Amino acid sequence: MKTIKSLFLLSLLIVNILISSTYGSSIRVSIVGGEEAEVIEKPRTFGNKRELKLEYSQIYPKKKLNQENINFMSARDTFVDNLMSKMSIAEKIGQMTQLDITTLTSPNTITINETTLAYYAKTYYIGSYLNSPVSGGLAGDIHHINSSVWLDMINTIQNIVMEGSPNKIPMIYGLDSVHGANYVHKATLFPHNTGLAATFNTEHATTAAQITSKDTVAVGIPWVFAPVLGIGVQPLWARIYETFGEDPYVASMMGAAAVRGFQGGNNSFDTPINAPSAVCTAKHYFGYSDPTSGKDRTAAWIPERMLRRYFLPSFAEAITGAGAGTIMINSGEVNGVPMHTSYKYLTEVLRGELQFEGVAVTDWQDIEKLVYFHHTAGSAEEAIMQALDAGIDMSMVPLDLSFPVILAEMVAAGTVPESRLDLSVRRILNLKYALGLFDNPYPNPNAAIVDTIGQVSDREAAAATAEESITLLQNKNNILPLNSNTVKNILLTGPSADSIRNLNGGWSVHWQGAYEDSEFPFGTSILTGLREITNDTDDFNIQYTIGHEIGVPTNQTSIDEAVELAQSSDVVVVVIGELPEAETPGDIYDLSMDPNEVLLLEQLVATGKPVVLILVEARPRILPPALVYSCAAVLMAYLPGSEGGKPIANILMGNVNPSGRLPLTYPGTTGDIGVPYYHKYSENGVTNPLFQFGDGLSYTVFNYTNLVCSNCNPISGQASNYSGVLGQSYTFTVTVTNNGNVQGKDSVLLYLSDLWAQVTPEVKMLRGFQKVDLMPAQSQQLSFTLNAYEFSFIGVDNKITLESGQFIIMVGNQQLGLYLQ
């Protein structure tokens, strides 16, 4: 690996020498707001450089409104102006308040206490509710909520809210539909976001979001708390599986695709969002995903330059590029400031730079936590003032009435002006108007959409997504796909081999995951999938034993049973990983794999039988590298969802050619974390991952040829070297050929390296990806266009900066040099 890195760096140096011999220094020009300013010559040690500055308003020009947009906004503004003129202070505060469904249900039931609900509606005018009554676990003996029960609940809540509202303002209900409508019984469950990212196919992100919205809206819930847009750079973090991996570009593209899927391609500020679409929530804005301790909701220390370089782009793309209608705020603190109190980030950056016009909702209890968790406020009043000053619109209180009671007192005392309420209330009413809640606040139990929940085509879409996500990381002697002519006896073992629960992970039926497989009406475990596609006949025998459970004392007898069965098997398939978890309850103190799973794997490898290792896990749990390398093959399955078992089985047997790629760096040791693939040049050689970002094998062979820049200027006498003008877009083409014997899909990744900059550049950054599907001997030319922003970095002034200089474009083994003047 070090030899490869050395050759790569040497090639960059050679390209630099060739280009530098042709071009000398250039002037530096500061451009602010797109207009050229005074030319300033400022020598540097490596010559004068030309510099451009970009604003987000240039990267994402404001949408040009058509007449339909203008008419919609005019009618909305007239309606909302009239409504707000009639609303009392209490009604306005009620619109800013969100309560959990369990504040309405009787203990250990899902029955709405209508007396309590009417009191909330007539006294506090509560404008929003959230969550599933079985999110935290069983309600009595009730495991899940089906569509008819959901519809009854939503209609009951809405009816009593409307009766209690002097101005007939409907409530809006929100739900964590994280990987499908996971709280709606029979809804299709998709791979979690790391699995979606592994497809490197934005179409899957869009499709998953569309089906998720449909199934959520079908039960009368128009607000989806997804997608998570933080980048997964802290492998200890319990929520890393909810991210699209470690790369900002992947998170940006997959996140924006999901936003468009959820909202039907519409922006709730200038266009209505109609069923089957819902308004989505870009969360958790921002910096939440890299807590220093690795524990959920704990402090993150992320310099401003890093925040803007790595953590902000996915939110910018989702909000300003794709039009996400709401954002949920980071529960943690960044650089000593809780995000809920940051005027800089919630107002100056979010509202100013990103031009966000939607609703900003807190996360769970996060205003109250400013007092007892973050200690920035000495009282509830001070906490509310801090959050309002920062820019929140709605408080997910969510278990009591403290927010509306105290805020009303603060308004009465003159501490909070009514005009501040109006800012947030207008955004909330605008959202309700865009969702059509004023015209049609009640869901229709007889709507055709209800019958589509869990339909076959949806489950097939989830299986197709899982197929493209599964990542083949190791395949010695082409052990996979298994040859049915020589492999007659398979041992399938491991705690996740026959567990739909483990395939789904957290946010599945319940917040912390399902209790048992019977809670899933649909789905296929790996064992069931393998038996279905092989028919499990006398000619092809599948033996199964659990091997060992997760998180229990060592059971050597169970391991011995697996080892004994392995002796009579041609191949051993071991499926290990994690139990379901979510958020703070999922905090861990050691990234190592469960020791009993390691023990099981060690003893099976010691039999000398070929071992195929399948990882079903929320995080990249650490295994001894030598043990992993002793396995014949390694498949990364992530958390593939209910439909994941059969796709894995199809890949094992060769019915599907794997095409996933790792969307994160898989560390080799517990002390070697926190160094993503886009590390700095000074970090070369300091990390030794088990598997690299972008790794992924196939059953066929793809070759890349003819990487060229179609609109650059070739440098005379220097093959594969080009020049261009700073601030322009450039298009690169490459030819991909399937040189193998089977059809296959390939994720083609384009990287950019900036050789020198005023702040230390990364070794490389992903700047494009496409998925192709090729038959044997088939070729396809792909085109990637990089705009000016994609050549930028965050400068010493923390502004988006472009600088003249030398760049390398890389696709597979192809690379070219580009000098921008």
PDB file of all heavy atoms in Angstrom, residues 153-177:
ATOM      1  N   MET A 153     -56.009   7.864  14.700  1.00  0.00           N
ATOM      2  CA  MET A 153     -55.333   8.747  15.644  1.00  0.00           C
ATOM      3  C   MET A 153     -55.156  10.155  15.079  1.00  0.00           C
ATOM      4  O   MET A 153     -55.442  11.145  15.757  1.00  0.00           O
ATOM      5  CB  MET A 153     -53.959   8.157  16.019  1.00  0.00           C
ATOM      6  CG  MET A 153     -54.049   6.986  16.982  1.00  0.00           C
ATOM      7  SD  MET A 153     -52.460   6.139  17.265  1.00  0.00           S
ATOM      8  CE  MET A 153     -51.298   7.455  17.169  1.00  0.00           C
ATOM      9  N   ILE A 154     -54.681  10.227  13.831  1.00  0.00           N
ATOM     10  CA  ILE A 154     -54.440  11.540  13.226  1.00  0.00           C
ATOM     11  C   ILE A 154     -55.749  12.297  13.049  1.00  0.00           C
ATOM     12  O   ILE A 154     -55.834  13.499  13.331  1.00  0.00           O
ATOM     13  CB  ILE A 154     -53.710  11.392  11.873  1.00  0.00           C
ATOM     14  CG1 ILE A 154     -52.336  10.730  12.057  1.00  0.00           C
ATOM     15  CG2 ILE A 154     -53.560  12.761  11.196  1.00  0.00           C
ATOM     16  CD1 ILE A 154     -51.386  11.490  12.959  1.00  0.00           C
ATOM     17  N   ASN A 155     -56.787  11.611  12.615  1.00  0.00           N
ATOM     18  CA  ASN A 155     -58.085  12.272  12.458  1.00  0.00           C
ATOM     19  C   ASN A 155     -58.635  12.747  13.800  1.00  0.00           C
ATOM     20  O   ASN A 155     -59.199  13.849  13.898  1.00  0.00           O
ATOM     21  CB  ASN A 155     -59.081  11.320  11.781  1.00  0.00           C
ATOM     22  CG  ASN A 155     -59.067  11.450  10.268  1.00  0.00           C
ATOM     23  OD1 ASN A 155     -59.144  12.547   9.741  1.00  0.00           O
ATOM     24  ND2 ASN A 155     -58.953  10.329   9.566  1.00  0.00           N
ATOM     25  N   THR A 156     -58.474  11.940  14.846  1.00  0.00           N
ATOM     26  CA  THR A 156     -58.944  12.348  16.175  1.00  0.00           C
ATOM     27  C   THR A 156     -58.208  13.585  16.653  1.00  0.00           C
ATOM     28  O   THR A 156     -58.827  14.558  17.125  1.00  0.00           O
ATOM     29  CB  THR A 156     -58.739  11.199  17.184  1.00  0.00           C
ATOM     30  OG1 THR A 156     -59.544  10.089  16.794  1.00  0.00           O
ATOM     31  CG2 THR A 156     -59.123  11.635  18.587  1.00  0.00           C
ATOM     32  N   ILE A 157     -56.877  13.562  16.536  1.00  0.00           N
ATOM     33  CA  ILE A 157     -56.091  14.725  16.975  1.00  0.00           C
ATOM     34  C   ILE A 157     -56.470  15.961  16.168  1.00  0.00           C
ATOM     35  O   ILE A 157     -56.729  17.041  16.730  1.00  0.00           O
ATOM     36  CB  ILE A 157     -54.587  14.430  16.849  1.00  0.00           C
ATOM     37  CG1 ILE A 157     -54.178  13.290  17.780  1.00  0.00           C
ATOM     38  CG2 ILE A 157     -53.772  15.687  17.178  1.00  0.00           C
ATOM     39  CD1 ILE A 157     -52.767  12.778  17.544  1.00  0.00           C
ATOM     40  N   GLN A 158     -56.535  15.809  14.859  1.00  0.00           N
ATOM     41  CA  GLN A 158     -56.819  16.971  14.014  1.00  0.00           C
ATOM     42  C   GLN A 158     -58.217  17.523  14.279  1.00  0.00           C
ATOM     43  O   GLN A 158     -58.413  18.751  14.324  1.00  0.00           O
ATOM     44  CB  GLN A 158     -56.675  16.586  12.535  1.00  0.00           C
ATOM     45  CG  GLN A 158     -56.627  17.753  11.571  1.00  0.00           C
ATOM     46  CD  GLN A 158     -55.360  18.575  11.690  1.00  0.00           C
ATOM     47  OE1 GLN A 158     -55.224  19.401  12.609  1.00  0.00           O
ATOM     48  NE2 GLN A 158     -54.432  18.368  10.766  1.00  0.00           N
ATOM     49  N   ASN A 159     -59.168  16.658  14.467  1.00  0.00           N
ATOM     50  CA  ASN A 159     -60.544  17.104  14.693  1.00  0.00           C
ATOM     51  C   ASN A 159     -60.650  17.927  15.975  1.00  0.00           C
ATOM     52  O   ASN A 159     -61.263  19.011  15.991  1.00  0.00           O
ATOM     53  CB  ASN A 159     -61.473  15.888  14.769  1.00  0.00           C
ATOM     54  CG  ASN A 159     -62.931  16.277  14.877  1.00  0.00           C
ATOM     55  OD1 ASN A 159     -63.459  17.028  14.059  1.00  0.00           O
ATOM     56  ND2 ASN A 159     -63.593  15.770  15.915  1.00  0.00           N
ATOM     57  N   ILE A 160     -60.031  17.445  17.049  1.00  0.00           N
ATOM     58  CA  ILE A 160     -60.119  18.163  18.322  1.00  0.00           C
ATOM     59  C   ILE A 160     -59.279  19.435  18.288  1.00  0.00           C
ATOM     60  O   ILE A 160     -59.664  20.463  18.868  1.00  0.00           O
ATOM     61  CB  ILE A 160     -59.704  17.228  19.470  1.00  0.00           C
ATOM     62  CG1 ILE A 160     -60.746  16.101  19.598  1.00  0.00           C
ATOM     63  CG2 ILE A 160     -59.563  17.985  20.784  1.00  0.00           C
ATOM     64  CD1 ILE A 160     -60.403  15.041  20.616  1.00  0.00           C
ATOM     65  N   VAL A 161     -58.143  19.412  17.594  1.00  0.00           N
ATOM     66  CA  VAL A 161     -57.338  20.624  17.428  1.00  0.00           C
ATOM     67  C   VAL A 161     -58.135  21.692  16.685  1.00  0.00           C
ATOM     68  O   VAL A 161     -58.158  22.862  17.086  1.00  0.00           O
ATOM     69  CB  VAL A 161     -56.019  20.315  16.690  1.00  0.00           C
ATOM     70  CG1 VAL A 161     -55.356  21.606  16.202  1.00  0.00           C
ATOM     71  CG2 VAL A 161     -55.065  19.554  17.595  1.00  0.00           C
ATOM     72  N   MET A 162     -58.795  21.291  15.609  1.00  0.00           N
ATOM     73  CA  MET A 162     -59.566  22.256  14.824  1.00  0.00           C
ATOM     74  C   MET A 162     -60.749  22.806  15.620  1.00  0.00           C
ATOM     75  O   MET A 162     -61.074  23.997  15.549  1.00  0.00           O
ATOM     76  CB  MET A 162     -60.063  21.593  13.540  1.00  0.00           C
ATOM     77  CG  MET A 162     -58.965  21.217  12.561  1.00  0.00           C
ATOM     78  SD  MET A 162     -58.191  22.646  11.769  1.00  0.00           S
ATOM     79  CE  MET A 162     -59.421  23.023  10.521  1.00  0.00           C
ATOM     80  N   GLU A 163     -61.380  21.947  16.405  1.00  0.00           N
ATOM     81  CA  GLU A 163     -62.500  22.414  17.240  1.00  0.00           C
ATOM     82  C   GLU A 163     -62.029  23.431  18.266  1.00  0.00           C
ATOM     83  O   GLU A 163     -62.753  24.377  18.599  1.00  0.00           O
ATOM     84  CB  GLU A 163     -63.134  21.234  17.958  1.00  0.00           C
ATOM     85  CG  GLU A 163     -63.978  20.327  17.063  1.00  0.00           C
ATOM     86  CD  GLU A 163     -64.551  19.144  17.828  1.00  0.00           C
ATOM     87  OE1 GLU A 163     -64.226  18.994  19.041  1.00  0.00           O
ATOM     88  OE2 GLU A 163     -65.318  18.357  17.225  1.00  0.00           O
ATOM     89  N   GLY A 164     -60.805  23.235  18.784  1.00  0.00           N
ATOM     90  CA  GLY A 164     -60.307  24.138  19.815  1.00  0.00           C
ATOM     91  C   GLY A 164     -59.663  25.395  19.284  1.00  0.00           C
ATOM     92  O   GLY A 164     -59.367  26.313  20.053  1.00  0.00           O
ATOM     93  N   SER A 165     -59.422  25.476  17.989  1.00  0.00           N
ATOM     94  CA  SER A 165     -58.713  26.615  17.412  1.00  0.00           C
ATOM     95  C   SER A 165     -59.688  27.720  17.008  1.00  0.00           C
ATOM     96  O   SER A 165     -60.562  27.499  16.161  1.00  0.00           O
ATOM     97  CB  SER A 165     -57.929  26.173  16.167  1.00  0.00           C
ATOM     98  OG  SER A 165     -57.375  27.278  15.508  1.00  0.00           O
ATOM     99  N   PRO A 166     -59.556  28.909  17.575  1.00  0.00           N
ATOM    100  CA  PRO A 166     -60.465  30.014  17.201  1.00  0.00           C
ATOM    101  C   PRO A 166     -60.406  30.337  15.719  1.00  0.00           C
ATOM    102  O   PRO A 166     -61.406  30.771  15.139  1.00  0.00           O
ATOM    103  CB  PRO A 166     -59.961  31.180  18.047  1.00  0.00           C
ATOM    104  CG  PRO A 166     -59.214  30.554  19.178  1.00  0.00           C
ATOM    105  CD  PRO A 166     -58.614  29.306  18.626  1.00  0.00           C
ATOM    106  N   ASN A 167     -59.240  30.107  15.098  1.00  0.00           N
ATOM    107  CA  ASN A 167     -59.067  30.445  13.683  1.00  0.00           C
ATOM    108  C   ASN A 167     -58.905  29.223  12.805  1.00  0.00           C
ATOM    109  O   ASN A 167     -58.463  29.332  11.662  1.00  0.00           O
ATOM    110  CB  ASN A 167     -57.861  31.363  13.533  1.00  0.00           C
ATOM    111  CG  ASN A 167     -58.122  32.746  14.097  1.00  0.00           C
ATOM    112  OD1 ASN A 167     -58.960  33.478  13.577  1.00  0.00           O
ATOM    113  ND2 ASN A 167     -57.447  33.083  15.197  1.00  0.00           N
ATOM    114  N   LYS A 168     -59.292  28.053  13.371  1.00  0.00           N
ATOM    115  CA  LYS A 168     -59.297  26.802  12.598  1.00  0.00           C
ATOM    116  C   LYS A 168     -57.937  26.521  11.946  1.00  0.00           C
ATOM    117  O   LYS A 168     -57.835  26.247  10.747  1.00  0.00           O
ATOM    118  CB  LYS A 168     -60.398  26.819  11.539  1.00  0.00           C
ATOM    119  CG  LYS A 168     -61.784  27.089  12.096  1.00  0.00           C
ATOM    120  CD  LYS A 168     -62.140  26.084  13.190  1.00  0.00           C
ATOM    121  CE  LYS A 168     -63.483  26.392  13.844  1.00  0.00           C
ATOM    122  NZ  LYS A 168     -63.740  25.528  15.033  1.00  0.00           N
ATOM    123  N   ILE A 169     -56.901  26.572  12.769  1.00  0.00           N
ATOM    124  CA  ILE A 169     -55.552  26.291  12.282  1.00  0.00           C
ATOM    125  C   ILE A 169     -55.234  24.817  12.546  1.00  0.00           C
ATOM    126  O   ILE A 169     -55.256  24.375  13.696  1.00  0.00           O
ATOM    127  CB  ILE A 169     -54.510  27.175  12.982  1.00  0.00           C
ATOM    128  CG1 ILE A 169     -54.834  28.659  12.758  1.00  0.00           C
ATOM    129  CG2 ILE A 169     -53.108  26.862  12.463  1.00  0.00           C
ATOM    130  CD1 ILE A 169     -53.945  29.603  13.533  1.00  0.00           C
ATOM    131  N   PRO A 170     -54.951  24.049  11.530  1.00  0.00           N
ATOM    132  CA  PRO A 170     -54.691  22.622  11.724  1.00  0.00           C
ATOM    133  C   PRO A 170     -53.323  22.385  12.361  1.00  0.00           C
ATOM    134  O   PRO A 170     -52.420  23.216  12.280  1.00  0.00           O
ATOM    135  CB  PRO A 170     -54.740  22.055  10.307  1.00  0.00           C
ATOM    136  CG  PRO A 170     -54.336  23.208   9.441  1.00  0.00           C
ATOM    137  CD  PRO A 170     -54.879  24.436  10.113  1.00  0.00           C
ATOM    138  N   MET A 171     -53.196  21.243  13.012  1.00  0.00           N
ATOM    139  CA  MET A 171     -51.882  20.848  13.522  1.00  0.00           C
ATOM    140  C   MET A 171     -51.116  20.150  12.388  1.00  0.00           C
ATOM    141  O   MET A 171     -51.686  19.666  11.419  1.00  0.00           O
ATOM    142  CB  MET A 171     -52.019  19.941  14.744  1.00  0.00           C
ATOM    143  CG  MET A 171     -52.617  18.575  14.511  1.00  0.00           C
ATOM    144  SD  MET A 171     -51.371  17.323  14.109  1.00  0.00           S
ATOM    145  CE  MET A 171     -52.413  15.957  13.564  1.00  0.00           C
ATOM    146  N   ILE A 172     -49.802  20.094  12.550  1.00  0.00           N
ATOM    147  CA  ILE A 172     -48.946  19.349  11.627  1.00  0.00           C
ATOM    148  C   ILE A 172     -48.238  18.260  12.419  1.00  0.00           C
ATOM    149  O   ILE A 172     -47.703  18.524  13.505  1.00  0.00           O
ATOM    150  CB  ILE A 172     -47.936  20.274  10.909  1.00  0.00           C
ATOM    151  CG1 ILE A 172     -47.071  19.456   9.930  1.00  0.00           C
ATOM    152  CG2 ILE A 172     -47.077  21.051  11.885  1.00  0.00           C
ATOM    153  CD1 ILE A 172     -46.181  20.326   9.044  1.00  0.00           C
ATOM    154  N   TYR A 173     -48.275  17.048  11.892  1.00  0.00           N
ATOM    155  CA  TYR A 173     -47.684  15.902  12.588  1.00  0.00           C
ATOM    156  C   TYR A 173     -46.374  15.525  11.910  1.00  0.00           C
ATOM    157  O   TYR A 173     -46.284  15.498  10.679  1.00  0.00           O
ATOM    158  CB  TYR A 173     -48.641  14.706  12.546  1.00  0.00           C
ATOM    159  CG  TYR A 173     -48.444  13.716  13.677  1.00  0.00           C
ATOM    160  CD1 TYR A 173     -49.277  13.730  14.785  1.00  0.00           C
ATOM    161  CD2 TYR A 173     -47.420  12.778  13.641  1.00  0.00           C
ATOM    162  CE1 TYR A 173     -49.106  12.828  15.839  1.00  0.00           C
ATOM    163  CE2 TYR A 173     -47.228  11.872  14.685  1.00  0.00           C
ATOM    164  CZ  TYR A 173     -48.079  11.910  15.784  1.00  0.00           C
ATOM    165  OH  TYR A 173     -47.900  11.021  16.823  1.00  0.00           O
ATOM    166  N   GLY A 174     -45.354  15.213  12.715  1.00  0.00           N
ATOM    167  CA  GLY A 174     -44.051  14.827  12.191  1.00  0.00           C
ATOM    168  C   GLY A 174     -43.653  13.453  12.674  1.00  0.00           C
ATOM    169  O   GLY A 174     -44.019  13.032  13.780  1.00  0.00           O
ATOM    170  N   LEU A 175     -42.870  12.737  11.849  1.00  0.00           N
ATOM    171  CA  LEU A 175     -42.487  11.367  12.186  1.00  0.00           C
ATOM    172  C   LEU A 175     -41.078  11.068  11.681  1.00  0.00           C
ATOM    173  O   LEU A 175     -40.701  11.472  10.577  1.00  0.00           O
ATOM    174  CB  LEU A 175     -43.475  10.391  11.551  1.00  0.00           C
ATOM    175  CG  LEU A 175     -43.508   8.964  12.125  1.00  0.00           C
ATOM    176  CD1 LEU A 175     -43.958   8.972  13.586  1.00  0.00           C
ATOM    177  CD2 LEU A 175     -44.440   8.090  11.301  1.00  0.00           C
ATOM    178  N   ASP A 176     -40.323  10.332  12.496  1.00  0.00           N
ATOM    179  CA  ASP A 176     -38.992   9.882  12.093  1.00  0.00           C
ATOM    180  C   ASP A 176     -39.124   8.686  11.152  1.00  0.00           C
ATOM    181  O   ASP A 176     -39.073   7.530  11.575  1.00  0.00           O
ATOM    182  CB  ASP A 176     -38.173   9.477  13.321  1.00  0.00           C
ATOM    183  CG  ASP A 176     -37.625  10.661  14.077  1.00  0.00           C
ATOM    184  OD1 ASP A 176     -36.755  11.356  13.522  1.00  0.00           O
ATOM    185  OD2 ASP A 176     -38.055  10.893  15.219  1.00  0.00           O
ATOM    186  N   SER A 177     -39.294   8.951   9.891  1.00  0.00           N
ATOM    187  CA  SER A 177     -39.295   7.897   8.867  1.00  0.00           C
ATOM    188  C   SER A 177     -37.883   7.844   8.306  1.00  0.00           C
ATOM    189  O   SER A 177     -37.558   8.502   7.322  1.00  0.00           O
ATOM    190  CB  SER A 177     -40.329   8.199   7.785  1.00  0.00           C
ATOM    191  OG  SER A 177     -41.640   8.098   8.308  1.00  0.00           O
TER     192      SER A 177
END
